Amino acid sequence: MTAPANAAPDRAEQSLRQTLLSPGYRRLLLLCVLLGVPIALACFFFVAFQHELQHWVWTSLPEAAGYDTPPWWWPLPALVLAGLVLAPIVTRMPGGGGHLPVNGLGGAPVGPRALPGAVLAALATLPLGVVLGPEAPLMAVGSGLALLAVRRAGAGGDQRASAILATAGSTAAISTILGGPIAAAVLLIEGAGLAGTQLVALLLPCLLASAAGALVFTGFGQWTGLDIGALALPDLPPQAGPDAGDFLWGLPTAALIAVLITLARALGRRTVTWTRQHTAARTVACATAVGVCVAAYALITGRSPAEAALSGQAALAQLAAHPHAWSVGALVALVACKGLAWGIALGALRGGPIFPSVLLGAATALACSGLPGFGATPALALGIASAAAAVTGLPLASSVLAVLLMGRDSHDQMPLIVMASVVAFVVAQLVRRPGPEEGGGPGGAPGGAPGGAPRTGAAR
């Protein structure tokens, strides 16, 4: 006799119930809440300090030197210094300063031994304008502190529990910079590649840790007055629902964005190969090349080089608030110069790949928004979603991120956002040629698990 059709779901439900009611799992959930608060505090001050350093380098110091905005040559000494600082971290410190951004956010969690190098690389180079974001270093802080706490408590023997806690720590960290726990949770769901009871058992700790972390960030942002530069769009173009013209131009634009992002990542993989020998000298050379690209943007456009040098949160907010303040030529120059600099940085420097790619996608789409029937608001929405889908390989998480960023305008834009994410994901997979060093996960991330899902194991 064959088993009833609902026998497997019943067994899965019973297994999930047993997992949720087990004393060990309940202790794990409580530990995630308790860890979420100190991890969020550490991440808050990490990002706030990085933001203050960035403001000093690109605003206070130029003003002290007599410039209203940084001059065109400002990125050259800044990026040379970044390369000189990063070279010994990459070659001599445990962990090499963290994950290579060309591999996305995946890989094994950053353990306590590698954490100092990842933090030092981020704080010493991101404020200097290495064209990368803070999301990967933040996840390193979250996973490293979670694993350190587990080992200090003498509970590091359970490898699966340690991996779950490391993933929860990473999720708590990145949720604060992505605007809340929902985007981080969806990123985890789609990136972890798990299903059924395993997915729920992993998701609950991550939701608890990220929600606790979001509360801490919200409170400290009000109490201290410190700005952390989280990804947010407080002002948007006038609301306008997409019409036939937006879909007619928007979907080819999404494909174009996917091609540009994929080509930049291919440059990053070539850079990885080039820097494997004479790593220190070639790291400095790559940082200098990034500075040349950023300086070229300032020379071509007459605008501030900070728009091309930094991770992109501030420039994206400016684009959203005043989409017509950039000429088409300035947007094209931003995509070309920042895209080239980002591609080089992906393979040689340290940081996160998502924020700069989102700015590149938005700039590309807004440069195309002058086409007949193509509006600025739909262009901004599809640019964010397409770039995120192309760089992460996670179309659902990218759609959620775009919806959350667009806020009140997201309801009307959702069909275009979703279709653009899918188009960009498919085109990126068609164009992309995986190298032998890449893993099998989405977006080229080893294992496909942002921040290290349980199947990656705990890091040393």
Side-chain angles (χ1 to χ4, degrees), residues 120-133:
L120 183 58
L123 290 180
T125 63
L126 289 182
L128 295 173
V130 295
V131 199
L132 293 169

Side-chain angles (χ1 to χ4, degrees), residues 431-446:
V431 175
R432 172 174 162 265
R433 295 181 179 179
E437 71 278 0
E438 291 189 70

Side-chain angles (χ1 to χ4, degrees), residues 38-51 97-99 105 109-110 115 118-123 126 132-146 166-179 184 213 217 228-231 311 313 350-353 355 450-451:
I39 287 174
L41 284 173
C43 291
F44 178 87
F45 287 110
F46 170 86
V47 179
F49 184 50
Q50 182 256 325
H51 191 269
H99 297 306
L105 298 177
V110 173
L115 181 58
V119 172
L120 183 58
L123 290 180
L126 289 182
L132 293 169
E135 60 273 18
L138 266 182
M139 294 179 74
V141 171
S143 64
L145 291 180
T167 306
S170 296
T171 310
I174 198 173
S175 68
T176 53
I177 204 73
L178 291 181
F217 260 63
I228 61 170
L231 193 61
S311 59
Q313 301 101 300
R350 297 297 185 271
F355 285 12

Side-chain angles (χ1 to χ4, degrees), residues 34-334:
L34 297 177
L35 284 177
V37 173
I39 287 174
L41 284 173
C43 291
F44 178 87
F45 287 110
F46 170 86
V47 179
F49 184 50
Q50 182 256 325
H51 191 269
E52 289 297 313
L53 288 175
Q54 176 179 298
H55 184 269
W56 181 77
V57 172
W58 295 94
T59 302
S60 300
L61 196 56
E63 289 177 352
Y67 298 101
D68 294 332
T69 60
W72 68 267
W73 52 263
W74 196 263
L76 298 175
L79 270 299
V80 170
L81 178 60
L84 292 172
V85 171
L86 183 61
I89 298 174
V90 170
T91 55
R92 298 182 182 181
M93 294 193 70
H99 297 306
L100 273 170
V102 74
N103 293 327
L105 298 177
V110 173
R113 284 188 68 245
L115 181 58
V119 172
L120 183 58
L123 290 180
T125 63
L126 289 182
L128 295 173
V130 295
V131 199
L132 293 169
E135 60 273 18
L138 266 182
M139 294 179 74
V141 171
S143 64
L145 291 180
L147 288 173
L148 180 62
V150 169
R151 293 175 187 181
R152 290 293 184 186
D158 188 343
Q159 293 295 315
R160 182 168 181 80
S162 296
I164 289 178
L165 287 171
T167 306
S170 296
T171 310
I174 198 173
S175 68
T176 53
I177 204 73
L178 291 181
I182 300 300
V186 176
L187 185 74
L188 173 76
I189 291 172
E190 196 172 12
L194 302 176
T197 59
Q198 286 185 323
L199 175 59
V200 177
L202 173 64
L203 179 59
L204 292 182
C206 295
L207 279 174
L208 285 173
S210 58
L215 285 175
V216 171
F217 260 63
T218 301
F220 265 74
Q222 295 174 347
W223 301 335
T224 65
L226 293 174
D227 190 358
I228 61 170
L231 193 61
L233 302 179
D235 298 302
L236 292 167
Q239 185 171 359
D243 53 24
D246 296 316
F247 283 90
L248 175 65
W249 296 114
L251 298 184
T253 301
L256 173 63
I257 292 170
V259 171
L260 294 175
I261 295 296
T262 305
L263 290 176
R265 293 191 67 203
L267 174 61
R269 286 191 288 273
R270 289 182 177 273
T271 306
V272 172
T273 303
W274 187 67
T275 55
R276 282 177 180 158
Q277 296 180 343
H278 311 290
T279 301
R282 291 182 177 182
T283 297
V284 177
C286 288
T288 304
V290 170
V292 170
C293 294
V294 174
Y297 166 76
L299 272 175
I300 292 170
T301 64
R303 301 180 64 93
S304 171
E307 295 170 353
L310 302 179
S311 59
Q313 301 101 300
L316 181 64
Q318 294 170 11
L319 270 178
H322 308 287
H324 302 297
W326 273 261
S327 66
V328 173
L331 290 172
V332 172
L334 178 64

Side-chain angles (χ1 to χ4, degrees), residues 233-239 403-412:
L233 302 179
D235 298 302
L236 292 167
Q239 185 171 359
V403 166
L404 292 176
L405 285 176
M406 294 301 294
R408 65 184 183 274
D409 290 339
S410 62
H411 182 271
D412 291 336

